[in-house]
Amino acid sequence: MSRCIEIAALGEREVSPNPMVGCVIANGSEIKAEGYHEYYGGPHAEVNALSKLEDPTGCTLYVSLEPCAHFGKTPPCVQRIINSGIKKVVIGALDPKNGGGAKILRDHGIDVTTGVLEEKVKEQNFRFFCGAKKNRPYIILKWAESSDGFIAPLNKERVYLSSESSNLEVHKWRSKEAGILVGSETVLIDNPKLDTRLVKGRNPCRIALDRRRRLLNNRALNIFNPTAPVILFGYDEAVIDGYIYTFPENDIEAILKRVLDFGIDSVIVEGGGQILNSFLPFYDELRVIRTAKKLGSGIRAPLSISEEVCIDSDLIFTKKR
């Protein structure tokens, strides 16, 4: 199962919003074949592993997440396992969204064991399990603050607080998440790119709350660069314009549900004070960059936290709910 979890990680970001899954087929202690879910819409881990083995007779199939029992973008994996003749299956964690695979396997006379390294599987797929449990994406609140606890001056002047090393770390964070969210005020004042230009990785979907509808008619803004989809909330109706989508939701819970339905299973919220405070009831994780600079006054950081890692001249604080 440890090997299943290890190879499952090879599909990170490529399979989103599906979970990362790895599969190993072994005869005793000898691994005969292995596979992982490589990309969204592609064959699942079990199918990739079984396709590499002509005769699995006498083997045990290990898989980190319960085999699917439904028709989605691919046929159900349980039927492929049943047809293979395998008589023993070991599962890491049960699927909280599309379960039932373990029962079907047992009903066909297959010996099934579940719950092996279950917590490690859930930890690896924390985004997927969050969506299944809370019906919303995994939410990371991120901000940079001065040493005296301010995130921006009151006059809305743009101030660069974090170091180049911290900025590089932020771009790594972005590359691992499906979406990045800000308010319209941040877009208009800072004109951010909201991309991963400092590292190798896909750009997250850009999401902006635009209740006053000030963004859509200004296509010169950096968020409208066509290297990633853009979702704007606060419009009268749902409209698709190429890679730009507008939706009428204004309530945070409704926005988060819509985002999850859109296939975005994790979001970094990087907005200003008002946006960050709006999302405080929903966060799963905080990531705060505290710099040596002082502002003296300004917009206060939403929370104060103490867990820290030092990067260059900055301290990075993290906290999970």
Side-chain angles (χ1 to χ4, degrees):
M1 190 58 68
S2 292
R3 178 60 180 164
C4 289
I5 295 169
E6 181 181 2
I7 61 176
L10 297 173
E12 186 174 25
R13 277 304 306 269
E14 300 302 320
V15 300
S16 176
N18 284 348
M20 293 172 274
V21 183
C23 178
V24 170
I25 302 172
N27 192 335
S29 61
E30 181 184 1
I31 292 178
K32 294 291 188 178
E34 58 186 31
Y36 67 97
H37 188 22
E38 298 178 11
Y39 59 91
Y40 180 69
H44 289 185
E46 304 94 315
V47 174
N48 283 331
L50 285 167
S51 66
K52 299 174 183 176
L53 190 62
E54 285 188 16
D55 183 11
T57 302
C59 291
T60 298
L61 184 145
Y62 299 82
V63 62
S64 55
L65 192 70
E66 182 179 18
C68 65
H70 67 289
F71 279 90
K73 290 187 175 293
T74 61
C77 293
V78 289
Q79 194 59 54
R80 181 65 183 271
I81 295 170
I82 292 166
N83 294 343
S84 74
I86 279 179
K87 295 302 180 184
K88 185 173 183 179
V89 173
V90 179
I91 297 170
L94 297 179
D95 189 331
K97 291 180 67 176
N98 302 299
K103 181 180 184 304
I104 292 173
L105 293 174
R106 289 188 178 110
D107 289 345
H108 282 79
I110 296 174
D111 178 11
V112 178
T113 301
T114 62
V116 178
L117 299 185
E118 180 178 7
E119 292 307 313
K120 288 190 176 181
V121 174
K122 289 182 176 180
E123 181 181 349
Q124 181 176 60
N125 286 297
F126 61 88
R127 302 171 184 88
F128 175 74
F129 280 90
C130 176
K133 180 180 179 180
K134 300 178 180 179
N135 198 28
R136 63 162 175 77
Y138 186 85
I139 301 298
I140 300 167
L141 299 191
K142 172 263 170 184
W143 68 84
E145 65 182 36
S146 62
S147 61
D148 49 356
F150 298 101
I151 63 173
L154 290 173
N155 62 9
K156 298 183 180 180
E157 178 185 352
R158 186 173 188 180
V159 175
Y160 293 94
L161 291 173
S162 49
S163 67
E164 290 185 10
S165 298
S166 294
N167 286 335
L168 181 64
E169 190 70 13
V170 169
H171 281 239
K172 290 178 183 178
W173 295 345
R174 290 177 179 178
S175 72
K176 293 180 180 294
E177 309 308 331
I180 182 169
L181 184 148
V182 295
S184 59
E185 198 77 2
T186 294
V187 176
L188 293 171
I189 294 172
D190 295 346
N191 194 20
K193 292 183 173 68
L194 304 181
D195 60 15
T196 60
R197 62 191 178 279
L198 300 183
V199 299
K200 184 179 179 180
R202 287 191 299 171
N203 292 326
C205 176
R206 298 152 189 162
I207 307 165
L209 308 192
D210 189 21
R211 295 181 177 91
R212 286 182 276 176
R213 304 170 198 164
R214 298 181 292 172
L215 303 182
L216 194 57
N217 293 326
N218 191 351
R219 300 296 179 89
L221 291 166
N222 286 327
I223 66 164
F224 293 114
N225 181 304
T227 56
V230 179
I231 302 177
L232 303 177
F233 285 103
Y235 288 76
D236 291 331
E237 58 183 335
V239 176
I240 300 174
D241 181 8
Y243 61 95
I244 301 168
Y245 305 78
T246 64
F247 294 111
E249 285 85 357
N250 278 308
D251 174 77
I252 298 297
E253 289 191 63
I255 286 169
L256 290 178
K257 186 179 185 307
R258 172 76 78 170
V259 167
L260 185 65
D261 290 342
F262 203 76
I264 298 169
D265 60 357
S266 61
V267 175
I268 297 180
V269 179
E270 288 197 13
Q274 184 176 349
I275 293 292
L276 291 168
N277 280 295
S278 296
F279 279 85
L280 275 179
F282 305 97
Y283 83 86
D284 297 287
E285 186 175 347
L286 302 177
R287 297 180 187 174
V288 179
I289 301 168
R290 183 172 297 161
T291 73
K293 297 176 183 177
K294 287 187 177 182
L295 290 181
S297 63
I299 300 171
R300 278 283 179 190
L303 287 176
S304 178
I305 57 177
S306 58
E307 298 85 347
E308 67 182 61
V309 176
C310 186
I311 292 186
D312 200 4
S313 59
D314 298 339
L315 295 175
I316 291 185
F317 298 78
T318 63
K319 177 182 179 181
K320 292 188 178 182
R321 203 187 275 278

